[in-house]
Amino acid sequence: MLRWLAGVAVALTFSTAASAQDKAQQGKAEPVTLQARDGVSVSALLYEATQPKAVILLFHQAGSSKAEYATIAPRLVASGYTALAIDQRSGGSLFGPNETASRLGRSATYEDAKPDLVAALDWAASRHLPIVLWGSSYSAALVFEVAAEHANQVAAVMAFSPGEYLGKSGAVAQASAQVRVPVYVTSSSDADEVSAAHNPRGAAENWDHVLAFLAALPKPPQ
């Protein structure tokens, strides 16, 4: 049975202001290059927690990059989670440059980016920790497919503003029906809710929901 936890937020409507601690942590991000199974090099930034409870793989929205998580990943690290933010080949310069897309030198569909998510999952498997997939917009759709296809590797799914963004009609619904791990889903099309999520109080509430969900996940073996 899927466990759905819904909140009133849109993708990445956490606080956009970085604290001094967050800025210090951003400077500690380590560049990593992954290799997708089709040979594409995938740029990423690794944010290491000292004693991680899990690895959270951060996937960006359309037209974006790993920089989307520049203020979010440090907060996850402070809460005890190692985070890896990647540049998918379907992306752009929103928030910062997308190195993977730039190297590719051609346009890529949302579906084309799925091997990049799998490359992150392959990387995380060597950590022997619970793996959480965190997607935004189109990548929130892809995480359901990846979780369904790699059921033994994924501990949880977090989908921020998912939708049927993929080419095949109903693909996300079909994939989500096969997912048997805890799932956190949040989205909003209501203007008032969107506005509220951007203010400090709304951002704090969003973080409360996210961290409560993560804290409820099974703990890694000692």
Side-chain angles (χ1 to χ4, degrees):
M1 177 72 69
L2 286 178
R3 202 172 90 201
W4 296 89
L5 179 58
V8 286
V10 293
L12 307 178
T13 49
F14 302 103
S15 176
T16 56
S19 66
Q21 181 181 5
D22 287 347
K23 289 178 180 177
Q25 184 62 45
Q26 287 171 36
K28 297 178 182 177
E30 176 188 348
V32 174
T33 301
L34 312 177
Q35 194 77 13
R37 295 179 185 181
D38 62 358
V40 172
S41 294
V42 180
S43 294
L45 282 177
L46 173 61
Y47 300 80
E48 288 270 23
T50 304
Q51 293 182 310
K53 301 174 234 182
V55 176
I56 302 179
L57 303 178
L58 302 171
F59 308 123
H60 59 73
Q61 62 186 292
S64 190
S65 69
K66 60 185 178 298
E68 184 171 312
Y69 293 100
T71 60
I72 292 172
R75 178 71 181 269
L76 294 172
V77 170
S79 299
Y81 302 95
T82 285
L84 182 77
I86 75 167
D87 279 343
Q88 292 121 237
R89 69 188 74 181
S90 181
S93 58
L94 184 65
F95 297 104
N98 184 314
E99 297 170 293
T100 303
S102 295
R103 277 195 306 270
L104 192 65
R106 57 177 172 80
S107 62
T109 67
Y110 297 157
E111 292 92 334
D112 289 341
K114 186 158 75 169
D116 305 337
L117 277 62
V118 175
L121 182 61
D122 289 342
W123 172 89
S126 66
R127 294 301 183 100
H128 303 293
L129 287 166
I131 300 171
V132 180
L133 306 183
W134 175 312
S136 168
S137 185
Y138 90 84
S139 69
L142 285 177
V143 293
F144 285 107
E145 290 198 340
V146 174
E149 294 166 7
H150 302 268
N152 295 331
Q153 293 179 273
V154 176
V157 170
M158 305 186 74
F160 294 78
S161 298
E164 290 290 353
Y165 299 120
L166 310 181
K168 181 182 176 182
S169 177
V172 179
Q174 292 172 23
S176 65
Q178 301 174 50
V179 175
R180 294 293 179 268
V181 295
V183 174
Y184 179 103
V185 179
T186 181
S187 64
S188 176
S189 59
D190 183 275
D192 290 337
E193 291 178 355
V194 171
S195 176
H198 280 283
N199 68 37
R201 179 179 177 183
E205 290 176 356
N206 293 338
W207 272 113
D208 287 345
H209 289 305
V210 165
L211 296 178
F213 174 81
L214 292 171
L217 296 177
K219 303 297 185 291
Q222 300 297 319

